Amino acid sequence: MKKFKNTPKHDKYDVIIIGGAIMGSSTAWFLSQNPDFNGTILVVEKDQKYEFCSTAHTTSCIRQQFSTKLNVEISQFAANFINNFHEYMENDVRVPKLAIKSFGYMYLAASEDFAKNLRRNQKVQAAAGAATELLTPNEIKSRYPFYNVEDIKLGSINLVNEGYWDSITVFEWMRNKAQENGVEYIEKEYSVWRGSQRVQAALKLGYTHIEGVIVNEQTESERLQDELEPIL
C-alpha cells in the first residue's frame, strides 16, 4: 500500500469517494478498471491504519438465503468474485487465490408462519440457482445432533457459497490495485449530510473548489451541483 498523503494533488476531481475501506476501495477499483471511465478519483479516508473501521471488525460471512431474487443474485456475483479473485486481479502473482469456506447458514422456524416464509424464500432462492435445502426437525437432528428441535417446525440451509471469506485480503488488494490504477488516497476527516434539496459535503481538504460525483458507503451516489466548502 502506498502511504496516504494529507493533501490532494489536484484542486478538482471527477469522483470523490468518502471512506477508503472495503466499500470505498471496491468502488474505486471497479471504477478505475472500467475502460469506459477515464476520469480522476480521490478517496478520502480518515485513518489509513483502518483501526476502527467496520471492515477490520467484520466476521466476513456471505449467504444466499434472501427473500428477493435481486439480493440472491448480488450474493452470487459476490461469491463468484471471491472464488475467482485472483483472476479478477488479472492473475497477478502477488495476489493469492481465495475460496469461500462454506459452512452454511441454518435458519430455524419455531412457528408455522415462519416456516411458510422459509418455504416461500427457498422457492425464490432455488429459482435463482441457490442450493438451499428445507429440512424437517428429524433431518436437522440427524445431520446436526447438537440441535434441540423439540419446538422446531422447519429448517433452511445452503452449503454452497455460504460461509466465511477473507475480506481483509480482498480489501487490501482492491485498494492496492486502485492505487496502481491511479486512484489517489488521502488521510483526512470529513462529514457528509443530506440537505433538503441536495447532498452537501464538507471535507477538511484545505481547498474550496471540488466538483464532480461524491460517493459514500453510507449514502447513495449523488452528483454535486455546487462547490464544496471546507471545514476549517
Side-chain angles (χ1 to χ4, degrees):
M1 179 191 77
K2 298 179 182 177
K3 187 176 180 179
F4 298 175
K5 296 182 179 180
N6 293 324
T7 56
K9 295 179 181 179
H10 311 291
D11 62 357
K12 292 183 179 180
Y13 291 86
D14 296 298
V15 175
I16 300 170
I17 299 172
I18 303 299
I22 195 166
M23 295 295 288
S25 291
S26 172
T27 303
W29 177 78
F30 272 102
L31 191 56
S32 68
Q33 59 85 44
N34 187 333
D36 295 325
F37 178 81
N38 60 359
T40 53
I41 304 171
L42 175 69
V43 177
V44 184
E45 169 56 46
K46 66 179 179 180
D47 177 20
Q48 63 182 297
K49 297 190 300 292
Y50 297 97
E51 183 177 3
F52 300 108
C53 70
S54 297
T55 299
H57 297 270
T58 180
T59 55
S60 304
C61 292
I62 187 172
R63 61 186 172 92
Q64 295 182 38
Q65 293 184 73
F66 293 99
S67 60
T68 65
K69 180 183 177 182
L70 178 59
N71 279 349
V72 177
E73 291 176 339
I74 290 172
S75 185
Q76 289 172 333
F77 170 82
N80 175 270
F81 186 82
I82 295 164
N83 288 330
N84 296 283
F85 186 67
H86 184 77
E87 288 73 20
Y88 274 99
M89 296 292 109
E90 300 175 320
N91 295 305
D92 190 322
V93 295
R94 299 171 297 172
V95 180
K97 294 184 177 181
L98 302 179
I100 297 169
K101 306 301 182 182
S102 296
F103 51 74
Y105 277 82
M106 175 73 80
Y107 288 86
L108 299 173
S111 69
E112 189 53 41
D113 284 343
F114 191 51
K116 290 179 181 178
N117 287 341
L118 292 184
R119 293 186 186 98
R120 181 173 59 250
N121 293 345
Q122 190 272 342
K123 290 180 180 179
V124 173
Q125 297 152 18
T132 308
E133 298 179 80
L134 295 175
L135 302 178
T136 66
N138 287 338
E139 289 172 328
I140 295 170
K141 192 68 175 178
S142 176
R143 293 193 193 185
Y144 309 100
F146 50 84
Y147 277 119
N148 180 351
V149 297
E150 290 181 2
D151 61 344
I152 298 302
K153 304 295 184 182
L154 190 69
S156 171
I157 191 169
N158 177 8
L159 296 175
V160 179
N161 287 330
E162 283 202 352
Y164 168 80
W165 57 286
D166 187 353
S167 63
I168 298 301
T169 294
V170 171
F171 153 57
E172 288 182 342
W173 276 106
M174 294 184 95
R175 180 196 57 204
N176 293 345
K177 285 292 190 177
Q179 288 181 300
E180 291 176 6
N181 289 346
V183 175
E184 184 181 347
Y185 280 68
I186 64 169
E187 186 176 50
K188 285 288 181 180
E189 287 194 59
Y190 58 85
S191 64
V192 175
W193 68 93
R194 183 177 296 278
S196 58
Q197 306 261 333
R198 62 187 173 88
V199 170
Q200 296 177 320
L203 310 176
K204 292 180 179 178
L205 297 178
Y207 59 94
T208 58
H209 293 77
I210 312 170
E211 298 175 357
V213 176
I214 188 162
V215 179
N216 176 256
E217 62 189 77
Q218 300 299 325
T219 64
E220 64 192 58
S221 301
E222 296 277 353
R223 178 158 303 272
L224 297 182
Q225 300 298 331
D226 302 297
E227 295 178 347
L228 308 179
E229 298 296 336
I231 299 175
L232 300 177

